[in-house]
Amino acid sequence: MRIEFWGAARTVTGSMHLVQVGGRRVLLDCGLYQGRRKEAFERNRAFPFDASEIDAVLLSHAHIDHSGNLPSLHKAGFRGCVYATSATRDLCAYMLVDSAHLQENDVRYVNRRRRKRGQTPFEPLYTKGDVVEILKQFHCVDYDHPFEAVPGVKAMFRDAGHILGSASIVLEADEKGRRSRLVFSGDIGRRGLDYVIMESTYGNRFHEADANPKEALREAVGAIAQAGGKLMIPAFAVGRTQEIVYRLNQLVPRIDVFVDSPLAVNVTDVFRLHPECYDRQYALAVLNEEDRDPLGFECLQYVRSVDESKRLNRLKTPAVIIAASGMCEGGRILHHLKNHAIHGNSMILFVSFQAEHTLGRKILRGKNPVSIYGDEYELHAQIKQAEGYSAHADRAGLLRWAGRTQDAGNVKHLFLVHGEVESAEALADGLKEQGAPKVEIPERGASYEL
């Protein structure tokens, strides 16, 4: 078995790992790389392998940095199966279409300016037509049901508890009479493992012990209601938006709340269709809610159309606006930033991880002015970050997770991915201190024979 790391290697975006065994090639995730725009476009467009030679893709979950480049893979010649849970497939049906829509719209917007300047127009990475084709290649598999991904390689999805439908992937390969087992991001307490690929997003930090995300949200809403401005919450359409809405429902805010994302509206419908993925707390909330809908309340409006979204720019009363993308790299949040974040009575509340080089990270670090769609904007809004909303384990959680792996007693090699260099190195030191086996932080393109 050979593993090549082509994404989320020493960074948190663009998850993509190639496993080769018995002459077959299996891709673990195929996510969009997010960062500097030119670099991101080139990396997402040009695969470092022949897409037509990939036999299957195993998809851990629907977040765009894990699934978002699947249409490009099809466009480049991939014709195999994409295996995922049914909830992941349903989310991707909306998310990938939305990704194509955003790319087409953003390119159209930018190209108007480029043509005026006599510059060559851009092309979108992929279109809605490419999305339709890749969706035909999805095959849904339930949790804990073994299946043959390719001849000689058995696979199984285990509930990862990350977002709706998310899964860890257990691979078991039999090559020339030698059996080996690999786990990718998840159930690493399982016995008999040989190799583990684990995330390191928060490998160098602890979530604040006294962090109270509900209270942080309450304070932000109260401040904006008093100031009369807008509370802008950049949020991933899958998972984070629904969590924020769920928390706001508990607060029963006396302020208008707008979820300005057609994708988030559609995704919320998918959440309602998959009770098999609910945890106990949410299941009880569904049963105890008067209207049995924790994702809906009187002051909440889901915004679909462009005209409805534009009307928010002229809204004079205080309001909460939740919009994608979570890292401010596209989507309607950019329009709200340029219309509302220029005012001192408004606030930007970050509730998601902000990757290096993204607009969200730049704003958090205090960069001002910032470039939005090629124009410079001076931000006067308060900038806040709410701790406690991350779906990723912190350093303590990751070390506990790895400790359970060591208890299995058979792990030979542990790879750290989905983390920036500083975070991964700090986690590697902690793992070595607690007696972990060989730990690697692979570079992009690194290849290992297992």
Side-chain angles (χ1 to χ4, degrees):
M1 182 188 291
R2 173 176 290 274
I3 299 180
E4 296 177 5
F5 295 90
W6 290 110
R10 297 180 175 247
T11 184
V12 297
T13 69
S15 179
M16 187 167 62
H17 314 299
L18 179 61
V19 177
Q20 301 183 57
V21 57
R24 305 287 181 168
R25 297 159 70 86
V26 177
L27 203 59
L28 303 177
D29 286 350
C30 187
L32 276 180
Y33 173 78
Q34 297 165 297
R36 294 187 179 94
R37 290 184 182 274
K38 184 177 180 180
E39 178 189 3
F41 182 79
E42 290 301 323
R43 185 178 292 192
N44 289 323
R45 183 180 63 176
F47 287 99
F49 45 75
D50 186 342
S52 67
E53 294 182 356
I54 301 299
D55 295 290
V57 176
L58 301 181
L59 183 58
S60 65
H61 62 286
H63 274 154
I64 285 297
D65 63 327
H66 291 257
S67 72
N69 216 21
L70 282 168
S72 296
L73 193 69
H74 170 86
K75 192 174 177 181
F78 169 66
R79 296 297 181 267
C81 293
V82 179
Y83 293 101
T85 65
S86 58
T88 292
R89 191 271 174 201
D90 289 349
L91 290 172
C92 283
Y94 288 117
M95 295 180 69
L96 296 180
V97 169
D98 183 75
S99 176
H101 176 74
L102 290 177
Q103 290 180 56
E104 291 168 351
N105 279 1
D106 288 351
V107 165
R108 191 178 300 117
Y109 185 94
V110 170
N111 280 346
R112 285 201 295 266
R113 296 173 176 272
R114 292 183 66 82
R115 289 191 182 95
K116 289 179 181 177
R117 298 167 183 167
Q119 297 173 316
T120 304
F122 291 140
E123 292 184 3
L125 189 63
Y126 52 80
T127 66
K128 297 184 189 74
D130 298 314
V131 173
V132 170
E133 293 305 315
I134 192 63
L135 288 173
K136 295 176 183 177
Q137 296 171 236
F138 270 71
H139 286 248
C140 298
V141 182
D142 292 335
Y143 289 130
D144 303 321
H145 283 246
F147 62 98
E148 189 172 55
V150 295
V153 178
K154 293 181 180 179
M156 185 167 60
F157 291 131
R158 304 285 297 232
D159 188 352
H162 178 51
I163 65 166
L164 192 81
S166 63
S168 61
I169 300 170
V170 182
L171 287 181
E172 185 175 289
D174 198 340
E175 189 176 21
K176 296 178 181 178
R178 181 175 178 270
R179 181 171 295 179
S180 55
R181 303 187 74 188
L182 166 72
V183 168
F184 172 47
S185 67
D187 184 25
I188 61 177
R190 187 179 176 89
R191 298 247 171 219
L193 304 182
D194 298 304
Y195 308 101
V196 175
I197 303 173
M198 67 178 288
E199 68 151 311
S200 56
T201 310
Y202 288 125
N204 63 340
R205 61 178 290 186
F206 297 93
H207 298 325
E208 292 183 13
D210 58 350
N212 187 333
K214 185 176 177 180
E215 187 57 35
L217 191 59
R218 185 195 303 275
E219 290 177 1
V221 170
I224 285 301
Q226 186 173 3
K230 306 295 182 292
L231 173 60
M232 290 157 285
I233 305 179
F236 301 122
V238 180
R240 196 54 41 82
T241 291
Q242 290 73 33
E243 183 176 5
I244 297 300
V245 170
Y246 173 66
R247 296 295 183 188
L248 285 170
N249 190 2
Q250 294 175 320
L251 296 179
V252 193
R254 296 181 180 278
I255 186 173
D256 288 329
V257 177
F258 299 91
V259 175
D260 187 17
S261 167
L263 174 60
V265 178
N266 292 330
V267 164
T268 301
D269 290 339
V270 174
F271 267 65
R272 294 179 175 122
L273 290 173
H274 286 278
E276 77 277 7
C277 297
Y278 296 169
D279 62 17
R280 179 175 173 79
Q281 181 183 16
Y282 188 80
L284 289 174
V286 171
L287 294 173
N288 293 329
E289 275 277 323
E290 192 170 309
D291 58 2
R292 299 209 167 181
D293 185 10
L295 300 179
F297 50 90
E298 185 178 354
C299 299
L300 174 67
Q301 297 182 50
Y302 285 96
V303 176
R304 286 186 181 271
S305 75
V306 173
D307 288 341
E308 287 178 298
S309 179
K310 287 181 177 178
R311 278 198 289 272
L312 298 181
N313 297 333
R314 303 187 295 272
L315 191 66
K316 301 300 182 183
T317 55
V320 177
I321 301 173
I322 307 166
S325 75
M327 297 185 188
C328 304
E329 281 296 287
R332 292 182 179 179
I333 190 62
L334 295 180
H335 296 281
H336 296 302
L337 290 177
K338 72 179 189 178
N339 281 284
H340 300 301
I342 58 175
H343 303 300
N345 64 341
S346 290
M347 179 188 298
I348 306 170
L349 179 65
F350 288 101
V351 295
S352 304
F353 181 85
Q354 304 300 308
E356 190 71 33
H357 307 305
T358 60
L359 178 59
R361 175 71 74 91
K362 292 173 185 176
I363 293 174
L364 263 180
R365 285 183 171 173
K367 179 177 173 56
N368 215 0
V370 296
S371 177
I372 301 176
Y373 290 126
D375 291 327
E376 297 291 309
Y377 291 87
E378 187 80 32
L379 305 185
H380 297 285
Q382 294 184 65
I383 312 298
K384 299 286 185 180
Q385 185 172 25
E387 293 283 350
Y389 280 109
S390 178
H392 295 272
D394 66 358
R395 178 180 173 84
L398 290 169
L399 289 173
R400 284 195 301 271
W401 192 35
R404 292 195 297 272
T405 304
Q406 293 172 66
D407 290 341
N410 298 318
V411 174
K412 301 167 186 171
H413 213 142
L414 197 151
F415 300 95
L416 300 183
V417 298
H418 207 287
E420 294 171 0
V421 175
E422 183 180 352
S423 175
E425 289 178 343
L427 180 60
D429 290 341
L431 291 168
K432 291 170 185 175
E433 288 175 6
Q434 76 177 22
K438 187 174 183 180
V439 181
E440 297 274 0
I441 308 170
E443 299 270 1
R444 182 173 185 267
S447 178
Y448 297 85
E449 191 72 42
L450 305 181

